[in-house]
Amino acid sequence: MDETFLLMLSNLLHLQNSLDPASSLLSPSSPSSSAPSPSSPSSLLSSSSPAPLLFFTLASLLSFLATSNSKKDSPLSKKREANSSPPPPTSSHFSVAAFRALSTDHIWSMDAPTRDAEWRSLYGLSYPVFTTVVEKLKPFIAASNLSLPSDYAVAMVLSRLCHGYSAKTIASRSSLDPYIVSKITNMVTRLLATKLYTEFIKIPVSRRRLIETTQGFEELTSLPNICGAIDGSPIKVRGLKLDRNSMSSYKCKFGYDSVLLQVVADHRKVFWDVCVKAPGGADDATHFRDSLLYNRLTSGDIVWDKVIKVRGHHVRPYIVGDWCYPLLSFLMTPFSPDGAGTPAQNLFDGMLMKGRSVVGEAIGLLKTRWKILRDLNVGINHAPQTIVACCVLHNLCQIAREPEPEIQKDPDETGAPARVLESEKQFYYFGESLRQALADDLHQRLSSR
């Protein structure tokens, strides 16, 4: 017996003695008496006072509890408990009923900041942005004859994109087959990448948006008419199953299997062009030349109605990138990657890279918000649409001014400057003279302040 039980038993003895002194258990029995002792069990049970019976009832109960606790705390009991398998995790929190309770009942008991914080932790975006996505995708999901509610299907896919869960993990939590989860993920990401792409990822051709974008970059860099910043980033893909020759082309410069993402972002870190067409082993210049954006810029298909004059040069809106891209009339790159230029050129390079930094931050936000992009666990055929879908969701967050989490940017670019192709020479020569004019103008303006 433990000390606690002995103490309680002693207290009970004193209590019984005070209630019924005639039948005290603490008084010694008389050996000379042949009659039954007042303290014998028979006399206690036959006593007219309820105290003896109460005492034995409580003592028996305490004895049982003490024995149970000692067995529970015994090494053998602990060993059995350790060897027993834990109960299977419940899926009630991820069921349709649980989601419906959260989205219809519990949500109205929360204030807006608490509600939106809850939604961001679950699905990567606030409740108003979530409902926007659902409303825009609902007609297409309904047309697919999916047996699950549209908002639940969207929530399931957003949870996977936000946390990087595999189809098996989502399936185990929602009591669905992994194949069904993969099928729903494929459907929702395809809808995001096709039906919502043209609405939320747009080249800034309207005069109002073009002026807003160029002014935003000019406030940041003091360079006029920048309309975007371009960069590429490898997206790690898990479990690629390709032949040996193809496998090497997917190995990126950081040593892992990936596909290459190319984006152009404005000053608000909103993407206005996204391309996923190259394996991770391709370089940024090659990927750019294979993109639709490059074809539209070289063919003159994109017409930006905002032309300014700088030192006799007609300057149309242009994008900025690092030395991994070719210098062209519509794409400005640094003079030197190591600061070996003139004071005017070095000043230009510093400001240009400052403008380019927004796209690096935008990619960092993208990968932080949608953690599936850190280790993509979908088939290679579905990888491009999944990446583009995350870019659409990123823009929705930026447009809605969602809080920006702390980001982890890709390592700085290294390597030789991109070479210029013969077909690009006319764009290169004009870009070279334009870049020098912009550098001289910038140096003169900032030196005179």
Side-chain angles (χ1 to χ4, degrees):
M1 295 184 188
D2 58 15
E3 295 181 2
T4 305
F5 171 69
L6 291 174
L7 179 62
M8 295 178 69
L9 183 60
S10 174
N11 290 336
L12 276 174
L13 290 171
H14 285 289
L15 176 63
Q16 190 273 339
N17 188 44
S18 62
L19 291 175
D20 190 9
S23 59
S24 174
L25 288 173
L26 299 177
S27 60
S29 58
S30 175
S32 60
S33 174
S34 59
S37 169
S39 60
S40 67
S42 59
S43 65
L44 285 172
L45 292 175
S46 61
S47 171
S48 60
S49 171
L53 188 59
L54 175 63
F55 168 77
F56 276 109
T57 302
L58 291 176
S60 299
L61 178 61
L62 288 174
S63 178
F64 172 75
L65 291 176
T67 304
S68 300
N69 287 337
S70 64
K71 288 182 179 179
K72 184 177 179 181
D73 295 335
S74 67
L76 181 60
S77 175
K78 290 182 178 179
K79 184 176 180 181
R80 287 174 181 171
E81 186 177 315
N83 291 336
S84 63
S85 57
T90 176
S91 61
S92 60
H93 295 297
F94 304 93
S95 64
V96 176
F99 172 76
R100 186 64 57 233
L102 175 65
S103 60
T104 57
D105 301 334
H106 300 165
I107 194 169
W108 303 116
S109 64
M110 307 178 187
D111 57 90
T114 303
R115 173 202 66 191
D116 291 340
E118 175 82 4
W119 234 253
R120 289 188 194 102
S121 69
L122 293 172
Y123 311 117
L125 31 73
S126 64
Y127 180 73
V129 181
F130 173 83
T131 56
T132 298
V133 175
V134 171
E135 289 304 313
K136 290 186 176 296
L137 296 185
K138 193 171 184 178
F140 306 107
I141 296 176
S144 69
N145 296 320
L146 181 68
S147 58
L148 294 172
S150 299
D151 55 350
Y152 179 72
V154 172
M156 179 194 303
V157 175
L158 291 182
S159 178
R160 186 178 178 189
L161 299 180
C162 172
H163 298 284
Y165 296 141
S166 65
K168 287 184 179 179
T169 300
I170 294 291
S172 65
R173 294 184 173 191
S174 54
S175 299
L176 294 172
D177 189 271
Y179 171 76
I180 299 297
V181 174
S182 295
K183 188 175 180 181
I184 295 172
T185 302
N186 179 33
M187 176 185 65
V188 172
T189 54
R190 176 173 46 82
L191 291 174
L192 286 168
T194 56
K195 302 301 182 182
L196 299 192
Y197 181 95
T198 54
E199 182 176 354
F200 292 102
I201 300 182
K202 295 180 180 179
I203 296 176
V205 291
S206 68
R207 186 165 183 81
R208 178 181 176 182
R209 187 178 170 203
L210 192 57
I211 291 175
E212 177 190 344
T213 303
T214 55
Q215 285 180 347
F217 273 110
E218 188 164 1
E219 291 174 4
L220 180 64
T221 66
S222 299
L223 290 170
N225 251 16
I226 298 176
C227 65
I230 187 170
D231 199 11
S233 178
I235 304 296
K236 185 178 181 181
V237 181
R238 183 191 305 177
L240 275 182
K241 297 180 180 179
L242 302 169
D243 60 79
R244 185 174 298 178
N245 294 331
S246 300
M247 203 69 177
S248 60
S249 65
Y250 281 86
K251 193 77 68 178
C252 73
K253 55 193 170 186
F254 302 121
Y256 52 80
D257 298 330
S258 63
V259 294
L260 196 57
L261 165 67
Q262 173 189 287
V263 291
V264 184
D266 67 13
H267 64 293
R268 298 176 300 163
K269 305 167 195 168
V270 173
F271 301 133
W272 57 254
D273 186 78
V274 177
C275 180
V276 189
K277 293 182 67 175
D283 59 83
D284 289 341
T286 301
H287 194 197
F288 176 55
R289 292 181 176 116
D290 288 340
S291 67
L292 177 61
L293 176 64
Y294 177 84
N295 293 329
R296 294 187 67 184
L297 289 170
T298 54
S299 66
D301 182 40
I302 299 176
V303 178
W304 278 311
D305 185 23
K306 185 177 182 292
V307 183
I308 62 172
K309 241 184 176 182
V310 176
R311 293 181 172 251
H313 292 75
H314 292 279
V315 182
R316 292 186 177 277
Y318 57 91
I319 58 181
V320 295
D322 58 27
W323 45 85
C324 295
Y325 292 92
L327 171 64
L328 303 168
S329 58
F330 48 80
L331 172 55
M332 293 289 106
T333 62
F335 284 96
S336 172
D338 55 7
T342 66
Q345 292 173 347
N346 291 338
L347 176 62
F348 174 86
D349 287 355
M351 291 300 186
L352 181 143
M353 294 302 286
K354 192 175 181 181
R356 177 201 166 273
S357 67
V358 299
V359 70
E361 293 174 4
I363 293 172
L365 281 173
L366 173 73
K367 291 184 177 181
T368 302
R369 282 188 175 127
W370 311 107
K371 293 178 178 59
I372 195 171
L373 299 182
R374 295 179 178 178
D375 192 6
L376 200 56
N377 49 34
V378 300
I380 188 64
N381 293 331
H382 296 149
Q385 72 179 39
T386 305
I387 297 168
V388 174
C390 291
C391 291
V392 171
L393 293 170
H394 165 86
N395 274 10
L396 277 161
C397 291
Q398 289 302 106
I399 293 169
R401 300 184 184 278
E402 289 280 274
E404 295 185 357
E406 186 176 347
I407 65 174
Q408 182 178 355
K409 296 196 295 184
D410 289 342
D412 292 335
E413 297 283 353
T414 57
R419 64 186 182 89
V420 178
L421 303 181
E422 190 65 33
S423 59
E424 298 170 337
K425 288 294 180 65
Q426 59 174 332
F427 300 108
Y428 170 74
Y429 291 135
F430 186 77
E432 194 174 37
S433 61
L434 180 60
R435 180 174 66 176
Q436 189 62 56
L438 288 169
D440 293 339
D441 176 71
L442 175 68
H443 188 259
Q444 182 182 20
R445 284 188 289 111
L446 295 187
S447 298
S448 61
R449 287 182 180 178

